[in-house]
Amino acid sequence: NNDNNCEFPVGNPVLKGLRSLQENAQECDLTCDDIKHPLMRHFCELDVGITGDTSWACQDAYLDPMIDDVYPPIQGCPDSCKGDAIKRRKFPITGKEKKHKCAWAATNDSKNRCALPEVALNCCKSCCSGCVGDAAGDDFFYIPALEKSHTCAWAARKNKKERCAIPVVARKCCETCADA
């Protein structure tokens, strides 16, 4: 055991599964340059540098990070957008064979992709655009903080300011919550 050796042995059971690529990452042709979030782009570049595998750019953690803030903050995006209505799930888009995530809209041809109605409705943060309507429409959506499902009409009915302060409600019901 050499104390100057900082490398972990291959197959170390403690590290197993901590840094691995998603199985579907090989099907993607993105590069680290396609990642909008500068910190995530930097981490991608580090992973590619360490492993030599460019498919790190296709990781959900880099394309659609859990962190809600943008570093550095994007200047000039409308205040009416409280965040993407759909964080990690793919959603159908009229005229497209496959479902996509908001991260897809923000990479390659974002101007045209963000103009698609379903993308504009669900991805205002990724597209740096204003609210165009309640993404939830009349549908129920799950609110983890309450452990219940509700609609945007519920948010408007009473205690609107309090209900619209719940992040998922603000994102799914941006039009309803605009004046809250």
Side-chain angles (χ1 to χ4, degrees):
N1 187 12
N2 183 352
D3 289 337
N4 293 330
N5 185 354
C6 295
E7 294 182 25
F8 291 101
V10 175
N12 183 329
V14 175
L15 298 177
K16 187 172 176 130
L18 291 180
R19 299 292 302 146
S20 60
L21 290 165
Q22 294 170 324
E23 289 181 25
N24 64 346
Q26 305 296 336
E27 302 168 12
C28 172
D29 62 351
L30 298 177
T31 68
C32 294
D33 291 334
D34 294 315
I35 298 172
K36 282 181 89 171
H37 195 288
L39 189 58
M40 295 298 113
R41 185 172 47 250
H42 174 72
F43 290 147
C44 174
E45 291 164 350
L46 289 174
D47 281 330
V48 170
I50 292 167
T51 65
D53 188 339
T54 58
S55 60
W56 282 101
C58 303
Q59 298 299 292
D60 287 340
Y62 293 153
L63 295 171
D64 189 18
M66 287 190 71
I67 53 177
D68 245 359
D69 64 329
V70 177
Y71 177 84
I74 296 173
Q75 300 299 315
C77 291
D79 290 338
S80 63
C81 175
K82 303 303 179 196
D84 290 340
I86 297 178
K87 290 271 196 187
R88 287 183 176 38
R89 289 182 307 121
K90 293 181 177 182
F91 56 92
I93 300 170
T94 304
K96 299 290 179 193
E97 230 176 87
K98 294 171 27 177
K99 292 180 177 183
H100 293 284
K101 295 180 181 183
C102 289
W104 168 84
T107 59
N108 298 331
D109 197 22
S110 62
K111 182 178 178 184
N112 289 321
R113 289 178 177 182
C114 288
L116 297 169
E118 296 89 349
V119 174
L121 192 61
N122 288 295
C123 308
C124 65
K125 182 176 180 181
S126 291
C127 294
C128 192
S129 60
C131 171
V132 296
D134 290 338
D138 295 328
D139 295 335
F140 281 81
F141 58 94
Y142 185 69
I143 305 169
L146 304 177
E147 297 182 351
K148 292 183 179 179
S149 294
H150 287 289
T151 64
C152 293
W154 167 85
R157 205 170 12 258
K158 65 179 186 177
N159 302 324
K160 184 175 179 178
K161 186 174 183 176
E162 182 179 305
R163 290 176 176 181
C164 286
I166 301 170
V168 69
V169 176
R171 289 192 313 268
K172 299 263 187 195
C173 308
C174 64
E175 186 174 51
T176 295
C177 293
D179 61 351

